[in-house]
Amino acid sequence: MTEKAIAITGGDANYFELLRDCVGSLRATEEGRAMALGILDCGLTAEQRAWFADQGAIFVVPEWDFDFPGRARLKDGYKALTARPFLPRYFPGFDLYLWIDADCWVQQGDAVALYLRAARTGALAAAPEIHRSMRHHHHAWTEFSTINGAAYAAAFGQETADRLIRFPLINAGVFALKADAPHWQGWADLLGESLQRSADMTDQIALNVLVYDHGFACEPLPSRCNWPIHHATPAWDSERGLLVEPAMPYDPLGILHMTIYTKRLAALDVRELSGPHAGEVRARSLRWPGRTAI
């Protein structure tokens, strides 16, 4: 039987430009075009839905899958976080599920293929935030450990925070899983429990606890498969026309993740490796370069 795989993203009307880049970049690759496309519609306009419909999208309006304190104060876009343990229920009939955050875009399709290959083993395919170039392993450890440690402590207690903060943080912004993987239910159980205590990064924190404390299998992919830009600005190789890791041997990035403040910036200071400006640091947009108007 032919394997059926789906790539899913989601958000509200305010995230449309990012969503469009995410989907457009995915569809620009052979690997992305081979997959079905799912959209968690958390408040898109009719015009925006039409653009995704032209890409063959399947739309689902997620519900509140958990009842928890403070839920009434959250925007509908938060549903894109709490719905993720239930993707096989929202989009039934597929063998493999790839989630990709709206603020990610695909530069090289081999990263998508690697997620699916890893998920076929039955493990969670995800990229930990660990790389020799990333700032939180150098000068920004105090900032990183304070913010993420507080999220761990709020959701699972200080003892868990003290222990797991030293583990490579599994980024939940891009991941892949088989439809029958036990991780879905395990994640849902932990998320539902911890949301009673905190809604601060709880979806990602719960996924890390699932792997590190409950022993659910994880295949850790290289950082190039989910590169958090705020941790380390990529370099630009004009000869290859690619954004690359900012350290030798300058491997090309597969999926770029416009984390935190970087999604709001028109450009960042990027070091150039080749061409007439080799060695210079110049302003460059790190958004998907292939986007078109609606």
Side-chain angles (χ1 to χ4, degrees):
M1 294 179 64
T2 303
E3 175 187 82
K4 297 177 65 177
I6 185 171
I8 304 167
T9 187
D12 59 19
N14 293 326
Y15 260 63
F16 171 67
E17 288 191 3
L18 291 167
L19 276 167
R20 183 180 57 186
D21 286 1
C22 177
V23 170
S25 68
L26 187 67
R27 288 303 206 209
T29 68
E30 179 181 354
E31 294 84 354
R33 289 190 297 272
M35 303 177 70
L37 173 65
I39 301 288
L40 285 177
D41 180 357
C42 300
L44 298 172
T45 68
E47 186 180 24
Q48 291 167 351
R49 285 174 62 95
W51 191 90
F52 294 114
D54 286 343
Q55 303 297 315
I58 304 167
F59 296 92
V60 171
V61 177
E63 302 173 356
W64 283 114
D65 290 291
F66 302 100
D67 188 15
F68 55 94
R71 192 182 77 177
R73 296 191 297 272
L74 296 172
K75 296 180 180 179
D76 281 351
Y78 196 86
K79 295 176 183 177
L81 302 180
T82 56
R84 286 182 296 171
F86 306 102
L87 294 180
R89 188 189 76 202
Y90 280 122
F91 299 91
F94 294 92
D95 304 300
L96 290 174
Y97 291 81
L98 171 74
W99 171 266
I100 179 166
D101 275 2
D103 55 1
C104 297
W105 62 271
V106 181
Q107 180 175 240
Q108 292 199 311
D110 66 331
V112 173
L114 186 55
Y115 273 101
L116 299 182
R117 176 183 170 189
R120 290 187 189 102
T121 69
L124 168 72
E129 295 180 4
I130 184 166
H131 189 274
R132 60 195 180 278
S133 299
M134 292 184 179
R135 57 192 287 274
H136 61 297
H137 296 298
H138 302 282
H139 63 278
W141 171 251
T142 298
E143 174 192 340
F144 175 86
S145 60
T146 299
I147 293 172
N148 288 281
Y152 267 120
F156 290 97
Q158 192 61 51
E159 187 277 332
T160 297
D162 292 342
R163 183 164 35 80
L164 296 191
I165 193 60
R166 291 285 177 178
F167 286 61
L169 184 70
I170 298 167
N171 190 297
V174 189
F175 68 85
L177 268 173
K178 289 179 65 175
D180 59 356
H183 303 62
W184 301 110
Q185 187 61 54
W187 189 14
D189 292 344
L190 284 172
L191 182 54
E193 170 198 336
S194 53
L195 280 169
Q196 306 308 312
R197 297 183 288 269
S198 172
D200 178 23
M201 297 193 294
T202 313
D203 59 301
Q204 182 162 277
I205 293 299
L207 191 63
N208 278 261
V209 170
L210 182 76
V211 170
Y212 293 131
D213 272 359
H214 292 259
F216 282 66
C218 178
E219 186 65 45
L221 300 186
S223 296
R224 64 174 298 273
C225 292
N226 181 2
W227 188 267
I229 293 175
H230 83 284
H231 280 324
T233 304
W236 172 249
D237 186 340
S238 62
E239 290 184 357
R240 289 183 285 178
L242 292 171
L243 291 162
V244 300
E245 295 180 350
M248 290 184 176
Y250 307 118
D251 289 331
L253 299 178
I255 298 175
L256 290 96
H257 195 162
M258 305 194 68
T259 40
I260 313 181
Y261 62 88
T262 64
K263 64 175 65 67
R264 300 188 296 270
L265 300 179
L268 282 84
D269 292 335
V270 175
R271 181 164 58 98
E272 302 213 6
L273 302 179
S274 58
H277 301 286
E280 297 180 21
V281 175
R282 306 175 76 225
R284 171 175 291 275
S285 170
L286 294 186
R287 295 284 296 273
W288 180 51
R291 65 181 177 277
T292 56
I294 187 173

